[in-house]
Each structure stands twice: as C-alpha cells, then as structure tokens.
Amino acid sequence: MLRSRTVTLGDIVVAVDEWPADAGRHGLPLLFLHGAVQTRSIWVSQTASLAGSRRIMAVDLRGHGETMQGSRPMTVAQMAADVLSLLDQLQIQKVAVCGVSLGGMVALKLAEQAPDRISSLILSNTPTSLTSNRWLRSLVDRIDPQNLMPITFRLLGQQRAARLGLAVAAKAVGPRWVGATARRHFIEGFERMDAKAIVGTYRAIVEARPVDPGSIRCPVLLIKGDADAPSIDAQMDELGEQLGQVRIETVQAGHVASLDNPAAFNRLLTRFLEQHDPA
C-alpha cells in the first residue's frame, strides 16, 4: 500500500512515496530518481509493475515537486548527498537505484560517494556530463547558458518557454526525442516549479563532471532510447566501455524511456533486478 511521507534532511524537507514488500518477498529495496524539472510521479508505471516485490521508494529531488530547494547549492553531488541522508533516515543499508537523465547522474554520483550502499544501478538516458568535448566544455563554462533562462521566463512565461524549448529540441534532435507523456510532465514541471529552482537544476547539469568509472563497483544496466540525442547515447556507450559489470539495452523511446515505452522498460528493469537480487 502506498505511503506518502516527508523526511527532514538538514536544510530541506524531502517528499517520498513508499511501497512495502509483500510478506515473504526479500528483494533488495529499490529507489527511483526522476529527471530534471520532473517529479516522482513519472514512475507510476514502474511502481505499479513492481509493487509488493520489494520495498520501493520514489523521491522528489531537491527543488522539485514537493521537496523544497533549501539553502545549499543545487548540485548533482548535493542531490546525491541528500539521497544518502534519506537512506540513513529510512534505515536502508543497501539499495538498487533507478534513475533517468538527471536522476541517473545523481545515481552515478551516489554510487561514487557510497559504493558499499548501492547494490545495482539502472541508468536510463543518462549523460555523464553536459559535454565531454574539451572546447565545447570550455565554451559552456564561459557563457553559463542557464543564465539565459530567467530572461526567457520574463519574456515568455515558464510554460511558453518550455513549449519553445521542446519545439527547438524537436527540430535539433528529432520529433520523437520527447514523447507525448514526457512532454506533458516536462511542461507541467516548468509551470509549477520555482523559476530559481529550474535555473539551479540546469546549472547543476551544466557544472556536473563525469564520475570516476573505477568507483562504480556494482552491476549496471544502461537503457538507451533509439530516438535520444546522439550525444547522450555516445556518453552512455563510453560509460559502458569503462564499467566492469554492465549491460546495455536500447528500446524504442526518446529521452525518457520509462515514460515513452514503459512496457519494454519494465521488462528490462524487472529482469535485471531479479538477476541481481540476493539468493
């Protein structure tokens, strides 16, 4: 049975949904982490599919949904530290983590910070950084593109800015890059999320640097979308080459595979979890 709760972690109060394991089920706990300008509600298909099989949690990251932004900087490392504190509060020693996009970046950083706490990673549509190209990285660091967002919000409003961004992405990447359900979540996120938190979220992505692949000790499943941005696919392929225990799968989906193709995503997720549960 779903239980929604809040947990105080230092400077923030975090919103969490929890589903207990059925009696006699002993799978390791599973934590879901959403992408940028989304909320824990994106995981409804996955939590419905897996409910009862193990203890399941879906959390709103710092500044998203019902979780406050707090006073600390919104960085990928800070969001990972928030999640680690949450696991401590919930008395969870070891957990499987499933993240998409920004949530996958947070999951990677969490596994780097606390490798003994992570039993496995499921990373969907996850870049390791905004770019690994050295000259482009230097350009991004100089211009701070996320600083253009407040101007755009003032001129267009947050909803229209989101729609414009999606239209530009569709032209640049392809019409399937953001599916209908993902598009709805994205626009709702821009409508409801505090503008400073949106800017802080994208600054976190811009400033993020790749984790040390050697620090990732657990089994990893990488799920790619066949219509995702080529740069993200390339970074996932590169990450796959650097990790030891890794499996790479591609599904018919754009940038949020769990929303674009939940049936295929859930099959891969369930099989992977069953393979890596304790005997």
Side-chain angles (χ1 to χ4, degrees):
M1 181 180 295
L2 168 63
R3 177 191 180 194
S4 296
R5 62 189 291 190
T6 57
V7 180
T8 301
L9 304 174
D11 66 321
I12 60 174
V13 177
V14 175
V16 187
D17 287 342
E18 291 187 74
W19 293 260
D22 290 342
R25 303 299 293 270
H26 303 294
L28 285 171
L30 172 63
L31 174 67
F32 286 105
L33 302 177
H34 60 76
V37 199
Q38 298 173 345
T39 72
R40 65 194 193 276
S41 66
I42 71 163
W43 299 111
V44 61
S45 174
Q46 287 70 45
T47 54
S49 176
L50 291 166
S53 65
R54 64 193 64 240
R55 185 179 182 184
I56 298 171
M57 296 140 291
V59 60
D60 282 344
L61 294 171
R62 176 180 289 260
H64 291 73
E66 297 177 283
T67 295
M68 60 198 304
Q69 182 176 354
S71 58
R72 297 173 186 168
M74 287 182 69
T75 65
V76 170
Q78 180 59 60
M79 292 179 193
D82 295 339
V83 173
L84 185 58
S85 296
L86 176 66
L87 296 178
D88 290 339
Q89 289 276 10
L90 298 180
Q91 299 182 323
I92 296 174
Q93 182 57 35
K94 203 151 191 171
V95 66
V97 184
C98 178
V100 61
S101 192
L102 170 63
M105 298 173 74
V106 174
L108 276 169
K109 180 59 70 172
L110 179 62
E112 181 184 57
Q113 291 178 350
D116 294 338
R117 305 286 296 275
I118 309 304
S119 63
S120 60
L121 290 174
I122 303 92
L123 308 175
S124 175
N125 311 96
T126 297
T128 53
S129 65
L130 181 66
T131 177
S132 57
N133 182 289
R134 186 172 298 177
W135 72 264
L136 185 56
R137 175 78 262 174
S138 176
L139 176 64
V140 167
D141 288 340
R142 286 200 301 271
I143 66 175
D144 289 335
Q146 74 283 349
N147 290 335
L148 299 174
M149 298 182 90
I151 300 171
T152 306
F153 291 163
R154 286 196 295 271
L155 290 174
L156 300 178
Q158 290 177 207
Q159 185 194 82
R160 290 179 65 192
R163 294 183 183 277
L164 175 62
L166 289 169
V168 171
K171 291 291 185 182
V173 182
R176 291 179 51 227
W177 189 59
V178 178
T181 305
R183 175 184 174 85
R184 175 174 58 80
H185 279 276
F186 187 75
I187 292 173
E188 287 178 356
F190 262 78
E191 284 181 318
R192 298 175 183 177
M193 193 167 165
D194 181 81
K196 290 182 180 179
I198 296 175
V199 174
T201 297
Y202 283 100
R203 179 176 290 114
I205 295 171
V206 167
E207 294 177 350
R209 296 299 190 271
V211 301
D212 173 15
S215 66
I216 310 301
R217 305 174 190 170
C218 62
V220 180
L221 171 63
L222 302 178
I223 302 178
K224 299 164 52 177
D226 67 345
D228 202 353
S231 60
I232 293 176
D233 279 348
Q235 289 189 54
M236 294 186 76
D237 286 336
E238 182 179 2
L239 179 63
E241 292 170 359
Q242 296 170 330
L243 297 176
Q245 307 175 70
V246 63
R247 182 179 182 89
I248 303 178
E249 299 279 0
T250 301
V251 300
Q252 291 184 333
H255 183 59
V256 190
S258 53
L259 290 176
D260 291 350
N261 195 341
F265 188 96
N266 293 351
R267 284 194 297 271
L268 292 173
L269 174 61
T270 300
R271 183 174 66 189
F272 180 79
L273 291 171
E274 289 173 349
Q275 290 172 344
H276 297 285
D277 269 342

